[in-house]
Amino acid sequence: MIPALFAGVEQHHMVLDLCAAPGSKTSQLLELLVGQRSKMGGTDPCPAGVVVANDLSAKRGYMLVSRLHHHATSCLAVTNHDSTVFPAIHLPDAAGKYKRLAFDR
């Protein structure tokens, strides 16, 4: 939980987790993102922010999806790309900029 706590994730942040599998870091980031919403009394399970979890390996990506399905949130996107050439993702009102990056390799 230490890396996720130091990231300072807020409910409106767009977070990119590179090398995300097996999913511990991603799960912690999601808990921070969605957990802040419930602490504020919100009933919407999805805050304005999003976590994009990426892993190069398709096999590890499937494992990531399997491990994160219990979060049941629409603020998670799992991708399978080479992180050195990761494509831009444009969301309304996000200006296409990630507020936090997480990686561990």
Side-chain angles (χ1 to χ4, degrees):
M1 186 65 142
I2 299 295
L5 287 174
F6 279 114
V9 175
E10 297 178 20
Q11 70 177 17
H12 62 279
H13 283 165
M14 189 168 162
V15 181
L16 174 58
D17 184 1
L18 298 169
C19 309
S24 299
K25 184 171 20 57
T26 306
S27 183
Q28 293 165 0
L29 291 166
L30 274 172
E31 287 174 15
L32 288 172
L33 191 77
V34 177
Q36 288 181 4
R37 179 74 171 172
S38 35
K39 284 180 192 173
M40 296 173 61
T43 55
D44 182 3
C46 189
V50 65
V51 174
V52 177
N54 180 70
D55 204 274
L56 175 61
S57 164
K59 183 178 178 182
R60 290 174 58 89
Y62 284 119
M63 180 176 55
L64 183 61
V65 169
S66 172
R67 190 163 194 195
L68 297 173
H69 82 278
H70 71 278
H71 283 283
T73 180
S74 60
C75 26
L76 170 67
V78 177
T79 60
N80 179 228
H81 290 282
D82 179 351
S83 60
T84 62
V85 291
F86 194 80
I89 295 177
H90 299 284
L91 297 174
D93 301 326
K97 296 181 181 177
Y98 294 101
K99 298 295 183 188
R100 300 292 185 266
L101 294 175
F103 53 91
D104 55 12
R105 288 191 187 130

